[in-house]
DNA sequence: ATTTAGATCCTCT
DNA sequence: GAGGATCTAAATG
């Protein structure tokens, strides 16, 4: 069963809302030839642009690399990192407001045999990290700055799955440095206890009988 | 189980 | 020239 492509309105709203609502949606890469590689989004992070020291677009920093973040909501933003990996983001909010959501983990759905050929192992370890999911879905420079509302190769679908608020874990973002307040901002979201979540583990929710 | 180091190269200063 | 929205394997407790 093939879902409905997400429309502009999905992306064109509050970035944190988009990050939460992307959980359970399906990222699709249609290869030349027609084969579909896809996975269910199980983990995301919000990057809040001008006011977010962890965002590439902090203080509206606009360079050739960050240019897609200033484009229409629904654009892909894929960048190369650490000499080895790509990371996949979706541009959010209003055009000109450089915010985005990083997709951090997928549960592979279509194209499993192909993914396993290049990285043998457990299904839930094929795309449980931002670099790994780009490798699994063959996303790279070629797929940067695509308008996923209209593109014929890369887009996101709604397959009808509803993720209730009560099934969403949240916590601080990963890998963004060490000194300032923003490292505590709870802008990382995941489907609670899903086997394809990345590391590190989400913190336990705070409760009355919880000891830290 | 947790920590460390190395790979590797693009982007911006 | 420095460092990064990462990953893996190897070392350590």
């Amino acid at each position: 069963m093939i879902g409905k492509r997400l429309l502009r309105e999905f992306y064109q709203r509050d970035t944190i809302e988009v990050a939460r609502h992307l959980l359970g949606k399906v990222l699709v890469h249609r290869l030349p030839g027609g084969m579909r590689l896809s996975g269910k989004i199980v983990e995301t992070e919000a990057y809040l642009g001008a006011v977010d020291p962890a965002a590439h677009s902090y203080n509206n920093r606009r360079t050739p690399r960050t240019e897609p973040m200033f484009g229409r909501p629904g654009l892909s933003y894929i960048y190369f990192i650490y000499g080895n990996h790509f990371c996949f983001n979706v541009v959010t909010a209003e055009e000109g407001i450089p915010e985005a959501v990083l997709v951090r983990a997928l549960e592979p759905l279509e194209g499993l045999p192909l993914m396993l050929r290049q990285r043998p192992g457990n299904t839930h370890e094929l795309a449980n990290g931002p670099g790994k999911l780009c490798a699994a879905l063959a996303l790279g420079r070629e797929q940067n700055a695509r308008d996923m509302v209209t593109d014929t190769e890369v887009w996101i679908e709604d397959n009808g799955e509803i993720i209730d608020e009560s099934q969403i874990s949240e916590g601080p973002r990963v890998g963004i440095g060490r000194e300032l307040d923003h490292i505590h901002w709870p802008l990382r979201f995941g489907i609670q206890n899903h086997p394809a979540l990345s590391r590190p583990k989400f913190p336990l929710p705070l409760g009355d009988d919880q000891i830290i």
Side-chain angles (χ1 to χ4, degrees):
Chain A
M1 143 173 164
I2 296 184
K4 301 179 300 193
R5 178 196 293 255
L6 299 181
L7 308 176
R8 187 84 58 204
E9 300 80 61
F10 182 94
Y11 305 107
Q12 190 168 2
R13 56 177 163 156
D14 179 76
T15 299
I16 292 174
E17 283 296 295
V18 177
R20 302 184 77 105
H21 286 279
L22 276 174
L23 297 174
K25 302 299 187 287
V26 178
L27 174 58
V28 180
H29 184 189
R30 181 186 175 280
L31 301 179
M35 177 171 187
R36 284 168 53 111
L37 302 177
S38 75
K40 178 167 95 174
I41 296 172
V42 302
E43 183 178 331
T44 61
E45 281 179 358
Y47 283 85
L48 304 182
V51 300
D52 181 354
H56 293 164
S57 52
Y58 183 44
N59 283 142
N60 287 311
R61 198 154 52 95
R62 190 166 188 163
T63 67
R65 181 174 65 151
T66 63
E67 191 59 29
M69 291 189 76
F70 289 83
R72 304 185 78 180
L75 288 195
S76 63
Y77 170 46
I78 299 177
Y79 62 89
F80 185 62
I81 188 89
Y82 296 129
N84 294 323
H85 308 287
F86 291 97
C87 292
F88 171 87
N89 303 251
V90 185
V91 176
T92 58
E94 297 296 324
E95 180 170 3
I97 307 280
E99 304 191 3
V101 172
L102 170 69
V103 176
R104 283 193 59 87
L106 301 175
E107 173 192 338
L109 295 177
E110 298 165 274
L112 220 62
L114 204 62
M115 299 179 198
L116 283 165
R117 196 167 312 158
Q118 60 163 27
R119 185 197 296 276
N122 185 292
T123 301
H124 290 120
E125 291 172 355
L126 292 172
N128 59 345
K132 292 167 86 175
L133 75 87
C134 284
L137 292 210
L139 297 170
R141 266 179 272 277
E142 290 281 302
Q143 288 73 36
N144 184 34
R146 297 293 184 90
D147 184 354
M148 295 195 293
V149 175
T150 56
D151 197 75
T152 56
E153 294 181 13
V154 188
W155 64 88
I156 302 176
E157 293 178 356
D158 185 341
N159 68 359
E161 179 166 352
I162 311 280
I163 306 295
D164 190 80
E165 287 287 318
S166 65
Q167 317 176 49
I168 298 180
S169 296
E170 54 182 75
R173 292 173 294 180
V174 181
I176 56 169
R178 221 139 225 296
E179 58 267 29
L180 300 166
D181 281 0
H182 70 271
I183 72 166
H184 303 297
W185 298 353
L187 296 179
R188 180 189 183 202
F189 306 98
I191 298 178
Q192 212 160 57
N193 295 327
H194 194 285
L197 292 176
S198 73
R199 312 197 74 90
K201 277 207 299 256
F202 279 87
L204 296 168
L206 302 127
D208 321 58
D209 42 28
Q210 206 69 226
I211 300 175
I212 306 182

